[in-house]
Amino acid sequence: MSSLRDRLEDVRRRVANASERAHRDPAEVRIVAVSKTVTSETVAEAYHLGQADFAENRVQELCDKRAALDADGVHPKWHLIGHVQSNKAKLAAGLSDIIQSVGSLKLAQLLDSHSRDQG
């Protein structure tokens, strides 16, 4: 089995090749690693290999991984890619840097309000 380093390099190479074919600068493409089902230790390893953005699809999983990684001084950019329930909007707003799964105007307004309250 290939190492995490090898797999990340392969993804980066494929993104660079696709970017070149599309006449785009590869630096304009953000690779977001979905960390669902992997441990916080694996996320930390990928972060130390240069992977800066990670995504979770559940607020509680993001909460757990972020807490573990923050304690170790690892601070990636977090994306939330799963459905956010209104009752978890405050927590989601405080944990994630980017929420990519807003399904209604009401939820967007709620997230905006919580984000403003939390600075």
Side-chain angles (χ1 to χ4, degrees):
M1 179 181 263
S2 61
S3 70
L4 180 56
R5 177 185 303 276
D6 292 340
R7 292 183 304 218
L8 281 170
E9 287 175 3
D10 181 55
V11 169
R12 291 178 183 135
R13 188 173 31 258
R14 291 168 56 200
V15 166
N17 290 338
S19 297
E20 187 175 304
R21 287 191 308 274
H23 306 289
R24 291 201 47 201
D25 179 358
E28 295 175 347
V29 178
R30 179 179 299 176
I31 298 171
V32 180
V34 177
S35 54
K36 177 183 176 181
T37 74
V38 301
T39 65
S40 57
E41 291 82 11
T42 302
V43 173
E45 181 184 358
Y47 179 80
H48 291 301
L49 291 169
Q51 178 58 43
D53 292 69
F54 295 87
E56 281 292 332
N57 69 328
R58 293 192 172 136
V59 175
Q60 190 57 50
E61 291 293 322
L62 173 56
C63 183
D64 295 344
K65 283 187 183 151
R66 183 162 186 162
L69 292 167
D70 282 352
D72 290 337
V74 176
H75 305 290
K77 181 171 281 192
W78 285 106
H79 299 244
L80 188 59
I81 58 173
H83 174 71
V84 179
Q85 297 172 325
S86 296
N87 64 336
K88 294 187 179 177
K90 184 175 183 178
L91 184 59
L95 291 171
S96 55
D97 298 294
I98 299 170
I99 299 175
Q100 298 188 16
S101 51
V102 178
S104 70
L105 178 59
K106 178 183 173 188
L107 179 59
Q109 291 168 331
L110 188 58
L111 289 165
D112 180 59
S113 174
H114 289 309
S115 293
R116 288 176 192 271
D117 291 346
Q118 297 175 34

